[in-house]
Amino acid sequence: DAGVIQSPRHEVTEMGQEVTLRCKPISGHDYLFWYRQTMMRGLELLIYFNNNVPIDDSGMPEDRFSAKMPNASFSTLKIQPSEPRDSAVYFCASSLARASGYTFGSGTRLTVV
Amino acid sequence: GENVEQHPSTLSVQEGDSAVIKCTYSDSASNYFPWYKQELGKGPQLIIDIRSNVGEKKDQRIAVTLNKTAKHFSLHITETQPEDSAVYFCAANTNAGKSTFGDGTTLTVKP
């Protein structure tokens, strides 16, 4: 398996623009997670899905953030409009079961200028 | 919700020495405790894990211990090598399925 695949690897955008981050989880993994990593706040859980259904989105910072999982092999995280404080590395991860380890993607480094 | 504290935040050891990283958790319902290693420019990678019905687990040079009564667990790396240098994260899972991560420990192994 190619692992969890995220795209793009790097994204530089201007404040106010829409940003879409993409993730392909490992086939057969029932859970998908979106995390944000910054020096100040560490690894923050934004939202997670179980069998394509959003279970907990309490970590989504504002209404500017939205996430979808239209099928078992694809998820998106969208920020609209983007702001400089959204600059961070965004990770997607998937796991096989409720109490099992995550496989993380390589992350998307987002810079909003 | 769950709260995980990790110590120390930085750790420097000489090659060949041992390194120990400690974490505490708050939710007694947590039952799964993974450890991740993150190298520069990469996502965290699962290196070892332990479940609440086990007190210790070992995999070559790394081992984890769990004390459920005290709500703490530790990562032990023996015979450290320069390639062990990375950021290490502990995490705790409840049956809800999501991990709460510690703030990370930057380990530097000096050759």
Side-chain angles (χ1 to χ4, degrees):
Chain A
D1 200 318
V4 175
I5 299 172
Q6 289 188 249
S7 63
R9 283 283 277 141
H10 302 275
E11 177 80 37
V12 180
T13 191
E14 292 186 346
M15 182 174 63
Q17 296 298 306
E18 177 179 296
V19 176
T20 299
L21 311 182
R22 297 173 176 79
C23 175
K24 175 179 168 54
I26 290 176
S27 176
H29 280 195
D30 290 338
Y31 287 81
L32 183 140
F33 306 84
W34 283 100
Y35 278 85
R36 178 171 68 177
Q37 187 175 39
T38 61
M39 288 295 291
M40 290 296 294
R41 301 174 69 93
L43 275 163
E44 298 176 274
L45 177 65
L46 300 177
I47 185 171
Y48 78 99
F49 297 82
N50 178 214
N51 292 323
N52 313 338
V53 176
I55 303 299
D56 184 349
D57 66 353
S58 60
M60 297 287 259
E62 301 168 30
D63 290 346
R64 298 185 296 107
F65 286 68
S66 63
K68 294 181 179 179
M69 191 165 186
N71 56 63
S73 58
F74 184 65
S75 177
T76 59
L77 178 68
K78 186 176 293 186
I79 308 172
Q80 165 64 12
S82 57
E83 297 182 2
R85 60 190 166 129
D86 301 331
S87 298
V89 180
Y90 290 81
F91 286 104
C92 174
S94 67
S95 71
L96 187 60
R98 183 174 290 176
S100 62
Y102 297 175
T103 301
F104 281 84
S106 298
T108 295
R109 181 174 294 277
L110 174 65
T111 304
V112 183
V113 297
Chain B
E2 174 66 278
N3 182 49
V4 176
E5 295 190 359
Q6 183 171 345
H7 299 280
S9 57
T10 61
L11 179 60
S12 182
V13 300
Q14 208 65 38
E15 182 178 358
D17 288 349
S18 295
V20 180
I21 303 170
K22 299 182 179 181
C23 291
T24 60
Y25 61 99
S26 60
D27 190 345
S28 57
S30 289
N31 55 16
Y32 174 69
F33 306 91
W35 286 87
Y36 295 86
K37 175 183 181 183
Q38 186 176 24
E39 297 175 325
L40 203 60
K42 297 183 179 180
Q45 180 182 13
L46 179 71
I47 55 172
I48 195 167
D49 56 14
I50 191 167
R51 301 186 185 276
S52 58
N53 58 348
V54 175
E56 184 174 354
K57 182 177 179 180
K58 190 174 181 181
D59 182 5
Q60 298 183 354
R61 295 187 298 108
I62 59 174
V64 290
T65 58
L66 172 64
N67 183 327
K68 281 202 68 180
T69 304
K71 293 186 194 167
H72 66 70
F73 54 115
S74 300
L75 176 71
H76 305 253
I77 306 174
T78 59
E79 301 172 23
T80 53
Q81 301 167 3
E83 51 265 38
D84 294 330
S85 297
V87 180
Y88 291 81
F89 293 94
C90 64
N93 277 43
T94 65
N95 279 331
K98 64 179 182 180
S99 281
T100 300
F101 284 81
D103 288 338
T105 296
T106 301
L107 173 65
T108 302
V109 180
K110 300 177 185 177

